[in-house]
Amino acid sequence: MSQQQTTAAAVDQWITGIPGRIAGHVVFVENPEHTDYAKTLAGEGSVILALNGDRDDEAITAVSGSFDAAGEELLVNGTLSLEIQDYVAIPFVNLVGVTLVRIISDDDWLAFFDDADEARRSGHFIRQLIEVNAVLAERGLLTGQSCQDLARLHIAADGTVLSGPYGAKIGRIGDPFSDLQRRSLALQPESSIASIRDPRSVRESLAARPWIPRYLAALDAWKFISREDRASTQFVGFGLSLYGASTNGELPSPGAPFIIRHGGEHSLLDTQSGRVFKVGIDAATIIEAISNLRDVSAAVAVVASALNVPEAVATGSVTAILNQFEQLGIDLIGTKR
């Protein structure tokens, strides 16, 4: 990656808490006096984001502005500008540039889960959240990823070391990285917001909605749909089922492709590759059953009933669809991703 791409990936990892955007971890430093200590924590492939840091120091990426005030901006390396917005405000603002969508207050969390429930029930998604320049914070938590990888470290102005901008306290300046890593081993995903929200309540809300990772994948999938087509586009699984699946039933894994209805036609969108395949209504129904149920026998029973065909015909159809897309490199169940 170029330096600019690495910086953007590091910022994304800092916002979302998802490891792997860069080779190492991200260290955010609020107080430039702690920059030297941050350097002791930054291994190979790591990036240090230093607030008001020395622009001539090649070991760091200088940032300016505010990372913790809604409506303010954070300028990274003099080129990447992030607008900071709270989740509850997002439906009422126009996203001009890259926007960090924070979920930090009780109102934010309640609104997020309400919006997710509405999308699942009716197919209505908050328009701003499906824009390319919206970056939803704490996706690592929302997808159930642990903090053990220490994708990010946050050194607060007073020298406290947190597992993220609003995370659990895991040390103070001077502590070796090995100690911080050891303490992180006991952390659960919810600890990434431990300083602002009761982790138990978040855990309970997520446990009641095991389909949230699929919802987040749908937010990303919308970005493949042109703006002019969005009003007449529906995602199967969100307010729409082709075989009558319950809105409280199974949804596919996050990595499974999406079935899209637009103008009376159906297509399969594989977000991993960006490929789109037009499919008939029967094929789309079969794919929904396979992806939802993740079991061939269960899918056959549903398909036989939905298409009003004998079980033997349904078995042949399900097998043929699975084989066809497997040959194209598409995993309809999404377990290989």
Side-chain angles (χ1 to χ4, degrees):
M1 291 191 293
S2 68
Q3 182 60 45
Q4 189 174 11
Q5 290 173 321
T6 298
T7 298
V11 170
D12 184 87
Q13 184 164 306
W14 170 68
I15 294 171
T16 64
I18 298 177
R21 301 294 201 250
I22 59 174
H25 47 272
V26 182
V27 186
F28 191 99
V29 187
E30 288 188 39
N31 186 340
E33 293 181 2
H34 300 150
T35 301
D36 287 341
Y37 169 62
K39 292 177 182 178
T40 70
L41 305 177
E44 184 177 355
S46 296
V47 172
I48 299 173
L49 303 176
L51 191 62
N52 300 319
D54 182 357
R55 295 181 180 276
D56 294 326
D57 188 342
E58 296 182 354
I60 69 170
T61 298
V63 300
S64 59
S66 173
F67 79 95
D68 194 32
E72 298 296 329
E73 288 187 343
L74 185 70
L75 185 63
V76 181
N77 204 29
T79 57
L80 175 60
S81 178
L82 292 172
E83 182 176 346
I84 315 297
Q85 288 290 351
D86 291 339
Y87 184 91
V88 292
I90 280 299
F92 311 104
V93 299
N94 291 319
L95 306 190
V96 178
V98 179
T99 302
L100 189 171
V101 184
R102 307 187 309 169
I103 311 179
I104 60 171
S105 69
D106 287 351
D107 287 344
D108 288 331
W109 283 101
L110 291 173
F112 170 79
F113 288 120
D114 284 348
D115 291 341
D117 288 338
E118 179 63 25
R120 179 79 197 273
R121 182 172 52 252
S122 71
H124 172 74
F125 290 77
I126 299 300
R127 174 180 59 82
Q128 290 83 346
L129 290 180
I130 64 178
E131 296 295 336
V132 173
N133 52 0
V135 185
L136 185 64
E138 306 307 333
R139 288 188 66 145
L141 159 61
L142 295 170
T143 54
Q145 299 191 38
S146 75
C147 301
Q148 296 180 3
D149 292 323
L150 281 183
R152 55 189 179 174
L153 291 166
H154 192 92
I155 306 175
D158 65 357
T160 302
V161 181
L162 306 173
S163 59
Y166 308 103
K169 179 180 178 180
I170 56 175
R172 284 195 58 80
I173 56 169
D175 290 352
F177 180 76
S178 58
D179 285 356
L180 303 178
Q181 191 169 41
R182 174 176 54 80
R183 293 166 190 148
S184 74
L185 293 177
L187 298 179
Q188 298 299 314
E190 299 82 13
S191 67
S192 67
I193 57 165
S195 65
I196 57 168
R197 175 85 170 157
D198 175 23
R200 182 174 57 183
S201 66
V202 176
R203 187 184 307 118
E204 291 172 350
S205 294
L206 289 171
R209 302 169 179 83
W211 45 266
I212 285 292
R214 182 63 172 179
Y215 169 66
L216 297 175
L219 293 179
D220 291 338
W222 272 108
K223 296 168 186 176
F224 289 85
I225 310 300
S226 64
R227 283 193 176 93
E228 55 267 27
D229 288 339
R230 288 178 183 174
S232 55
T233 296
Q234 293 175 283
F235 279 20
V236 170
F238 295 90
L240 170 68
S241 172
L242 303 178
Y243 67 83
S246 168
T247 56
N248 296 319
E250 290 283 349
L251 275 183
S253 71
F258 287 85
I259 295 294
I260 299 169
R261 175 186 283 176
H262 175 70
E265 297 184 339
H266 297 83
S267 57
L268 178 144
L269 166 64
D270 179 51
T271 58
Q272 306 296 317
S273 64
R275 290 186 291 175
V276 178
F277 304 87
K278 283 194 173 182
V279 294
I281 179 63
D282 288 352
T285 302
I286 293 169
I287 293 170
E288 182 192 7
I290 293 171
S291 298
N292 276 359
L293 302 172
R294 312 180 199 187
D295 178 84
V296 171
S297 297
V300 165
V302 164
V303 168
S305 175
L307 302 186
N308 195 25
V309 297
E311 187 170 309
V313 174
T315 299
S317 299
V318 168
T319 301
I321 290 290
L322 274 170
N323 290 339
Q324 177 183 357
F325 281 99
E326 184 176 355
Q327 291 173 5
L328 293 169
I330 307 296
D331 175 17
L332 295 181
I333 297 177
T335 55
K336 298 176 183 178
R337 301 171 183 173

